[in-house]
Amino acid sequence: MLHSLVLGLAAFASPMALVMLLVGTVSGIIIGATPGLGGIVLLSMILPFLYGMKVEYGLILMLAAEGGTYFSGSITSILLNTPGTPESAATTFDGYEMTKQGKAARALGISACATTLGGWIGFICLLALIPAMFPIIKLFQPSDYFALAIMAILLIGQLRAKSITKGLLSGILGLMVSYVGYDPITGVQRFTFNTLSLYDGFNIAAVALGLFAISEMFLLYGQSKSIGGNGDVGSGSGSSFFGKQPAGSRVIDGVRDTFYYWKDVLRSGLIGVFIGVLPGVGGTAATFISYGIAKRLSRHPERFGQGCPEGIVAPEAAVMAKESGSLVPTVALGVPGSAGMAVVLSGLTILGLAPGPSMLTSNLDSIFTMAFAIAFASLLGSVIGLLMAPALARALRVPPWTIVPFILALSFLGADAAAENFVQAYVVIAFGLVGLVMKRYGYSPASAMIGFVLGPIVEKNLYLMVNLQGMGAFARPLTDAFLIVCLAMVVWPAVGAFKQRNQLKNNKSAEV
Amino acid sequence: MKILRAELFVDIVWLAFCIGYIFEASHYPSGGRLVPIVVGSAGLVLGLAHFLGNFVPALRIYTHGVDDGDSGPVGEAVDYQPDSESEKLTQERSEPEGEKPRYFGGIAWAIALVAGMYLIGAVWIMPLFFITYFGIRGRRWGLGILAGVIMMLVTYGLFGQLIQLQLPAGVIWTYIFNM
């Protein structure tokens, strides 16, 4: 364990690793600050470059990019009242209020410091959770993996889609598409229609690029209005936030605030880790829950929403800690803890790693490299993000359609690089159209991606379950527990929808 | 009404896809067809329930969600009632005129880029594509030239030389040089 920990840290000893950390973090900051282009889009665009890359470099690049998006998402939340990522939405409540009061630099200082501390809390928790996973994974049998994979697809589908059936259908689409190509059990080609380029199935990078990056570009193309309005960034407009600021409005004051509210940082960090471990419950939930709890436990709940430092500390500490938490099911069980982790999982596959129990035993150092990457990226992201904040706010005056051709070109070239086959560019367009339809009509591309990634796991474990365990699979408490959660995931929203329907009916009759 | 019709079309396409998928899967050996048939059948059953949601108002809340004011596209499709009030509501929730063709504009540019890469090669299409795109979309010819040159260098330098990717050379050039 200690040996792996040292090896994990040693991965950062080479200059190339540090370059990857820097490139990942900076690209994460830029993409994270651009509303519409979240971590998933960036990770999708990184996937093609992972082919042939050294494992540790690939891991550092992915995790640093994912980590870099969070603080920069908060920059636009604080300065422009526009969350760069959905996870930064809770930061707008008090962050933008502070900007209006001329305390933008202080708010950014709080955000940067809380994000970093949250990242490190998550890192420490991850170090503690990894050894605890060893005895747990030994209990798992094929039926448990099968039920867990189904649970992950259902959870993410139900949380991201706009109706019960749409969430389920999104996951099923991902599963169906994952079975295209060579069947490892029988050796036959399935759904390829004798097309040579489909013999290996759809390329994972091409599917991710299409579902997330290209579909988003189709949507962005229609927007002619710039995201950042006139780019007014409050008191820091046009100047560095490290410049002369009145006492009480400086970045350092924000850092002090964060340490003053250390209890909020710790509590929110732990909430973030806990929520991250649960598959499907995303970062947005983590930030809002942390914000709500901080408000409830605060001595001055009435100050929340009026530029209260605690209102920034809580969500910001949770968001980065959640990232470490969601790494646990991803690497230990091979089941992604979030939509972003589904793409990270695809990246692990590309790098030749097999997420799941075997990774804990044979690639433990890689897991620690990922954990360190999150921790370092949270620190580096905050420092660089603070330096880049005014420039980012001004850059958002650029109309969104100007980004479109760059992402299109890089996506097609990336897909071509990933599979060394230009047919994948057509696959990218096809999945871009599928992603557009899914977003347009409230389906969940994230759930489809998770279905696609977990398809082979579902198939292998269902096959093993049928042939080895038979009906005995349902006598296993772990399998039953997961299946009960799966059932609850379908029934619970149905009951909620039924109640909502009755409420709507009552409202209508009251209006009449 | 446009959105409802489009959703209905999506549902029909889904059902047809599931039927085709199950039919195709049924031809494979038992070990290879088990999971695709199970998954395809689940998709078909759910798809049917979803399809019925277009016609049975009581089902719509489960299949198409609730209009919560900011729910976006799905919210736009709910509460289908064939009366004038809902017609008006749906009309209000429909996209503004001109927005739909903009999606198609984005799609057309993507297809044009891929077609260009195939026809005249990845390196040469970049300046052409960027100049055309920025010129037509925003009348920013200068920005288009700058972006085009940068992307050409990125394509050739990063993808062609550094990653050593076999970039599409363009069938037109291949045809001309092989003549």
Side-chain angles (χ1 to χ4, degrees):
Chain A
M1 170 90 181
L2 195 65
H3 177 69
S4 302
L5 186 71
V6 174
L7 279 178
L9 183 62
F12 291 84
S14 76
M16 193 61 188
L18 297 177
V19 169
M20 289 296 163
L21 184 70
L22 192 69
V23 169
T25 310
V26 172
S27 53
I29 288 168
I30 294 167
I31 297 289
T34 314
L37 302 181
I40 298 182
V41 173
L42 178 60
L43 284 170
S44 311
M45 297 196 66
I46 285 174
L47 285 185
F49 297 96
L50 297 178
Y51 288 90
M53 195 181 271
K54 273 182 89 174
V55 174
E56 55 267 35
Y57 298 159
L59 295 176
I60 293 168
L61 182 65
M62 275 196 297
L63 273 297
E66 172 83 337
T69 56
Y70 290 118
F71 174 59
S72 61
S74 307
I75 294 173
T76 52
S77 290
I78 290 168
L79 300 181
L80 305 166
N81 203 21
T82 309
T85 56
E87 287 87 355
S88 321
T91 310
T92 56
F93 304 148
D94 288 278
Y96 189 62
E97 282 303 314
M98 285 184 85
T99 298
K100 285 202 286 189
Q101 294 163 17
K103 296 176 184 170
R106 183 173 168 180
L108 285 170
I110 298 170
S111 171
C113 192
T115 308
T116 307
L117 291 177
W120 283 87
I121 290 169
F123 168 70
I124 293 163
C125 289
L126 191 61
L127 293 190
L129 282 170
I130 292 296
M133 289 307 289
F134 282 100
I136 295 172
I137 55 165
K138 281 181 188 161
L139 299 173
F140 276 66
Q141 286 201 0
S143 58
D144 306 323
Y145 281 115
F146 168 74
L148 185 66
I150 296 293
M151 191 182 92
I153 296 167
L154 284 177
L155 274 167
I156 290 175
Q158 293 305 345
L159 286 163
R160 295 230 168 193
K162 298 292 169 83
S163 78
I164 304 161
T165 51
K166 284 180 178 178
L168 295 171
L169 290 174
S170 306
I172 287 174
L173 174 69
L175 285 172
M176 288 166 89
V177 169
S178 75
Y179 301 130
V180 174
Y182 174 78
D183 171 27
I185 296 166
T186 59
V188 295
Q189 292 293 334
R190 296 184 297 191
F191 310 106
T192 57
F193 306 102
N194 292 326
T195 311
L196 190 65
S197 28
L198 286 180
Y199 274 23
D200 284 331
F202 291 115
N203 184 277
I204 215 163
V207 173
L209 281 168
L211 281 178
F212 299 115
I214 299 296
S215 62
E216 202 60 51
M217 291 310 105
F218 293 158
L219 290 168
L220 274 185
Y221 179 79
Q223 293 177 21
S224 44
K225 209 177 162 189
S226 69
I227 298 150
N230 61 3
D232 182 12
V233 292
S235 67
S237 183
S239 63
S240 165
F241 289 104
F242 291 102
K244 271 193 175 178
Q245 297 277 345
S249 304
R250 296 166 300 180
V251 170
I252 191 72
D253 296 312
V255 175
R256 278 192 201 125
D257 283 337
T258 313
F259 284 103
Y260 182 77
Y261 294 110
W262 65 271
K263 281 183 191 167
D264 287 287
V265 174
L266 190 63
R267 186 178 52 240
S268 303
L270 293 175
I271 290 169
V273 173
F274 177 71
I275 289 175
V277 171
L278 303 174
V281 190
T284 315
T287 52
F288 278 94
I289 290 169
S290 301
Y291 184 87
I293 291 176
K295 187 178 176 181
R296 198 172 295 167
L297 298 179
S298 171
R299 277 184 227 162
H300 310 285
E302 73 284 354
R303 290 186 192 167
F304 277 71
Q306 294 171 6
C308 169
E310 288 167 276
I312 304 173
V313 165
E316 292 299 291
V319 71
M320 202 66 190
K322 179 233 107 199
E323 206 52 34
S324 299
S326 58
L327 204 58
V328 175
T330 309
V331 294
L333 302 169
V335 174
S338 64
M341 280 297 153
V343 187
V344 170
L345 196 73
S346 316
L348 295 180
T349 317
I350 292 169
L351 290 167
L353 297 171
S358 61
M359 195 166 170
L360 280 183
T361 48
S362 53
N363 297 100
L364 192 57
D365 53 329
S366 299
I367 298 175
F368 287 124
T369 302
M370 293 165 86
F372 277 114
I374 292 176
F376 292 149
S378 65
L379 178 64
L380 196 63
S382 299
V383 174
I384 299 174
L386 274 175
L387 293 168
M388 288 173 71
L392 283 173
R394 280 197 298 274
L396 287 180
R397 280 181 291 182
V398 172
W401 61 264
T402 51
I403 318 167
V404 174
F406 295 98
I407 305 284
L408 285 180
L410 290 173
S411 297
F412 294 136
L413 288 169
D416 188 21
E420 293 189 0
N421 184 350
F422 193 64
V423 172
Q424 294 302 330
Y426 307 134
V427 173
V428 172
I429 289 199
F431 277 94
L433 291 172
V434 171
L436 176 68
V437 171
M438 292 183 88
K439 285 175 183 171
R440 177 73 188 81
Y441 296 110
Y443 292 85
S444 163
S447 185
M449 188 65 208
I450 288 187
F452 182 77
V453 172
L454 294 181
I457 296 174
V458 168
E459 178 162 36
K460 187 183 93 182
N461 288 296
L462 182 64
Y463 185 79
L464 289 173
M465 186 179 105
V466 169
N467 288 289
L468 299 177
Q469 292 178 272
M471 290 304 282
F474 298 103
R476 288 185 53 75
L478 210 53
T479 308
D480 293 342
F482 289 139
L483 289 176
I484 287 168
V485 176
C486 289
L487 198 66
M489 276 293 107
V490 179
V491 174
W492 183 33
V495 172
F498 180 73
K499 279 183 185 170
Q500 239 169 335
R501 187 169 157 250
N502 282 349
Q503 207 179 340
L504 275 174
K505 263 187 184 174
N506 291 341
N507 288 352
K508 269 186 187 172
S509 54
E511 276 172 27
V512 172
Chain B
M1 285 305 291
K2 259 191 265 175
I3 287 164
L4 287 169
R5 268 193 229 129
E7 279 224 78
L8 192 62
F9 177 71
V10 172
D11 296 346
I12 292 167
V13 169
W14 172 260
L15 289 176
F17 172 66
C18 285
I19 292 166
Y21 191 89
I22 296 167
F23 176 76
E24 184 64 24
S26 63
H27 292 101
Y28 303 132
S30 60
R33 71 176 175 228
L34 170 72
V35 177
I37 287 183
V38 169
V39 173
S41 305
L44 183 63
V45 171
L46 265 169
L48 272 171
H50 194 74
F51 176 73
L52 284 176
N54 289 292
F55 307 102
V56 183
L59 268 180
R60 282 194 71 79
I61 202 148
Y62 308 107
T63 57
H64 293 76
V66 173
D67 186 6
D68 55 8
D70 61 350
S71 60
V74 178
E76 293 164 6
V78 301
D79 293 339
Y80 174 66
Q81 299 284 338
D83 56 44
S84 59
E85 197 187 337
S86 88
E87 293 270 0
K88 200 177 144 194
L89 260 175
T90 317
Q91 213 168 18
E92 277 171 12
R93 290 163 185 166
S94 296
E95 294 162 326
E97 283 299 316
E99 195 163 326
K100 223 170 201 174
R102 287 245 164 131
Y103 292 145
F104 291 115
I107 295 165
W109 280 111
I111 292 171
L113 178 59
V114 172
M117 285 167 87
Y118 177 72
L119 289 172
I120 61 170
V123 176
W124 298 110
I125 189 63
M126 289 303 163
L128 202 63
F129 175 74
F130 275 81
I131 292 167
T132 320
Y133 179 88
F134 280 102
I136 293 175
R137 181 68 176 84
R139 307 244 167 258
R140 295 190 183 182
W141 298 99
L143 183 63
I145 292 167
L146 182 71
V149 171
I150 290 170
M151 280 309 291
M152 191 171 96
L153 293 174
V154 167
T155 308
Y156 179 75
L158 178 68
F159 288 93
Q161 299 300 309
L162 206 68
I163 303 180
Q164 298 212 317
L165 177 68
Q166 190 71 41
L167 293 165
V171 287
I172 289 177
W173 307 122
T174 315
Y175 179 75
I176 290 171
F177 289 121
N178 287 343
M179 262 172 72

